[in-house]
């Protein structure tokens, strides 16, 4: 019997015999899958454990990408997942650890995106700068994936390992502020900004506030387009420029008015009026005047509140 036959109907003893004869269990059948894949399909947990403990690699890729590890994650088979966790010392050094699934995700990405906390605890011991720069199907690094999933714990762990990840961008040139703002994840923005070691990186964060994605949108514009009031308020108070234009050269105020995002528009107006009351003390005063004259976002009574009727 070969490994595939043993996987379907053979015994641990027969598997051992194949190993003693020098055969490798990391092979493909005509479907491009592996003996471990068949063991999983046949629900043979005892043989699965023995096989991994004796040379079978759950990270060994299928011929068309993916592997049995990803199959088990996709099916969320707890007993096989727990088995993989329990025998992690036998696969954590696998040369195939960075093999992707059929969508281009690594095990690292899947552990973050799907909340497999125990898997992350195992994998994070293997983190290095190269792995932190690996991207999934959306072009997101592990840090950006943690942001999207609003996983504060993992995001901070990655930041602690390498603080330069705050500069990561995906294939649409979106940084962590873009991704969090358009999902209204204000709490994770605060967590990253308040991270103790971020104190010396205020310039980097400020630059990220004004970075445009490929469509020409800043994080603040994306928060407005998503009617993400909490994120918009937070970004404004982080000194994001309120007087911006996004894709199709649409102003933030025209967007808010067109979409009838009245509460978010109100927050924007209240912030700007508060700044206008500062007069020349407001660093963006001239920019504000130019924007308000051009876009006319305020009613006369609102400008009266800001003591800037000259802008009507």
């Amino acid at each position: 019997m070969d490994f595939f036959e043993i996987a379907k109907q053979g015994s641990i003893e027969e598997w051992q015999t194949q190993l003693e004869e020098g055969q490798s269990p990391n092979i493909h059948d005509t479907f491009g899958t592996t003996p471990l894949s068949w063991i999983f399909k046949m629900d043979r947990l005892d043989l699965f454990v023995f096989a991994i403990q004796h040379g079978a690699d759950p990270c060994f890729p299928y011929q068309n990408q993916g592997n049995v590890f990803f199959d088990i994650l996709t099916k969320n088979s707890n007993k096989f997942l727990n088995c993989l966790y329990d025998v992690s010392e036998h696969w954590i050094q696998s040369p195939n650890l960075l093999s992707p699934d059929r969508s281009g995700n690594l095990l690292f990405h899947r552990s973050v995106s799907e909340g497999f906390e125990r898997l992350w605890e195992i994998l994070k011991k293997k983190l290095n700068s190269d792995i932190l720069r690996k991207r999934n199907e959306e072009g997101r690094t592990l840090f950006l994936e943690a942001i999207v999933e609003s996983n504060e714990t993992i995001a901070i762990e990655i930041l602690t390992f390498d603080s330069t990840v705050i500069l990561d961008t995906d294939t649409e040139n979106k940084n962590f502020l873009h991704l969090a703002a358009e999902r209204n994840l204000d709490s994770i923005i605060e967590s990253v900004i308040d991270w103790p070691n971020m104190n010396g990186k205020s310039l980097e964060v400020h630059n990220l506030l004004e970075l445009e994605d490929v469509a020409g949108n800043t994080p603040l514009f994306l928060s407005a387009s998503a009617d993400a009031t909490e994120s918009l308020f937070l970004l404004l108070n982080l000194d994001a420029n309120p007087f911006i234009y996004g894709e199709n050269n649409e102003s933030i105020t025209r967007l808010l008015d067109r979409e009838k995002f009245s509460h978010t528009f109100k927050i924007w107006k209240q912030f700007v009026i508060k700044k206008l009351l500062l007069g020349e003390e407001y660093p963006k005063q001239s920019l504000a005047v130019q924007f308000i004259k051009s876009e006319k976002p305020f009613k006369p009574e609102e400008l009266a509140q800001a003591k800037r009727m000259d802008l009507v």
Side-chain angles (χ1 to χ4, degrees), residues 53-222:
Q53 291 174 332
H54 294 81
D57 182 3
C59 301
F60 185 72
Y62 299 154
Q63 285 183 328
N64 61 342
Q65 292 193 315
N67 55 43
V68 70
F69 212 136
F70 290 119
D71 291 347
I72 293 170
L73 290 174
T74 298
K75 293 185 181 296
N76 199 15
S77 174
N78 286 329
K79 66 179 181 180
F80 277 90
L81 279 174
N82 288 330
C83 164
L84 285 168
Y85 300 153
D86 292 341
V87 298
S88 62
E89 71 273 13
H90 293 282
W91 55 260
I92 193 63
Q93 302 298 334
S94 167
N96 303 301
L97 191 62
L98 298 183
S99 296
D101 66 10
R102 292 181 177 87
S103 297
N105 296 290
L106 305 183
L107 279 177
F108 290 86
H109 292 103
R110 293 284 293 271
S111 70
V112 174
S113 65
E114 298 179 29
F116 294 109
E117 296 179 4
R118 192 174 172 191
L119 177 58
W120 171 255
E121 289 301 313
I122 294 169
L123 290 174
K124 72 180 183 181
K125 301 170 186 175
K126 298 292 292 182
L127 280 182
N128 57 44
S129 296
D130 180 56
I131 290 174
L132 286 178
R133 295 297 175 264
K134 297 291 184 183
R135 298 176 182 276
N136 64 3
E137 56 185 326
E138 289 87 10
R140 294 197 289 260
T141 61
L142 289 177
F143 176 66
L144 295 180
E145 193 68 25
I147 294 296
V148 167
E149 295 298 321
S150 194
N151 194 320
E152 175 185 341
T153 299
I154 291 181
I156 297 303
E157 284 181 335
I158 294 173
L159 266 175
T160 303
F161 186 88
D162 184 351
S163 62
T164 65
V165 296
I166 64 165
L167 304 177
D168 289 354
T169 56
D170 66 10
T171 51
E172 295 181 340
N173 202 41
K174 291 180 178 178
N175 59 45
F176 84 94
L177 290 172
H178 288 103
L179 295 171
E182 65 185 351
R183 292 167 173 81
N184 204 24
L185 301 176
D186 56 302
S187 60
I188 197 165
I189 295 176
E190 288 186 295
S191 295
V192 173
I193 298 299
D194 293 340
W195 180 57
N197 291 352
M198 195 61 73
N199 293 336
K201 297 186 177 297
S202 57
L203 179 60
E204 287 95 328
V205 172
H206 180 75
N207 291 338
L208 292 177
L209 284 167
E210 307 309 330
L211 182 69
E212 295 181 353
D213 64 13
V214 294
N217 302 317
T218 66
L220 184 68
F221 194 91
L222 287 180

Side-chain angles (χ1 to χ4, degrees), residues 1-19 35 38-39 42 44 47:
M1 301 177 75
D2 64 19
F3 280 118
F4 291 102
E5 293 174 314
I6 298 169
K8 298 172 187 177
Q9 58 187 8
S11 66
I12 287 177
E13 290 74 18
E14 288 168 320
W15 186 281
Q16 180 65 41
T17 298
Q18 287 290 308
L19 292 175
W38 280 103
I39 295 175
M42 302 302 292
R44 303 192 59 191
L47 182 55

Side-chain angles (χ1 to χ4, degrees), residues 234-249:
L234 175 59
L235 293 171
L236 286 172
N237 283 282
L238 286 173
D239 200 29
N241 179 14
F243 313 109
I244 51 172
Y245 294 80
E247 54 189 303
N248 301 320
N249 202 36

